[in-house]
């Protein structure tokens, strides 16, 4: 059963390739959606796919890439809307 999750990641998460590592993780897990830097310094991730794979993405995002320092993560579950592919948005 597919689900949709929206993650808002806070901390030192911009300027450390967080978006590109997220892209790789999402593609590895077969997820659809996107990732984007937010003006407030956070990163937002929108993912769709199997709940077990989304949980793997959440667990990865709690730490992020090696140079990131994740301080907080907000998680919101929703019904999927049919995202296709996974991309970095600007």
């Amino acid at each position: 059963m597919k689900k949709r999750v929206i993650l808002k990641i806070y901390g030192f998460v911009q300027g450390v390739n967080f978006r590109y590592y997220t892209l790789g993780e999402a593609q590895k897990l077969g997820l659809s959606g996107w990732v984007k830097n937010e003006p407030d310094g956070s990163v937002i991730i929108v993912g769709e796919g199997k709940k077990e794979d989304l949980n793997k993405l959440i667990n990865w995002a709690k730490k992020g890439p090696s140079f990131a320092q994740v301080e907080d993560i907000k998680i919101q579950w929703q019904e999927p809307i049919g995202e296709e592919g996974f991309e970095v948005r600007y």
Side-chain angles (χ1 to χ4, degrees):
M1 183 173 182
K2 286 195 170 188
K3 295 297 285 180
R4 176 182 177 94
V5 71
I6 299 173
L7 308 176
K8 187 136 182 182
I9 318 295
Y10 298 92
F12 182 63
V13 293
Q14 291 189 11
V16 292
N17 290 317
F18 203 105
R19 292 174 298 163
Y20 296 99
Y21 281 99
T22 300
L23 174 66
E25 283 296 311
Q27 289 175 334
K28 183 173 78 173
L29 293 168
L31 301 174
S32 299
W34 49 271
V35 59
K36 180 182 177 202
N37 284 346
E38 292 287 281
D40 66 0
S42 66
V43 170
I44 188 165
I45 302 170
V46 175
E48 289 189 7
K50 294 178 185 175
K51 189 166 184 179
E52 65 189 60
D53 293 328
L54 293 170
N55 281 322
K56 290 176 186 176
L57 181 67
I58 291 168
N59 287 333
W60 174 85
K62 288 179 179 178
K63 184 177 179 193
S66 60
F67 292 111
Q69 295 176 356
V70 176
E71 294 174 5
D72 194 18
I73 183 170
K74 303 291 185 209
I75 303 168
Q76 180 183 7
W77 291 97
Q78 297 181 344
E79 292 303 312
I81 63 168
E83 297 276 358
E84 293 186 18
F86 200 95
E87 66 182 15
V88 175
R89 292 192 178 170
Y90 300 94

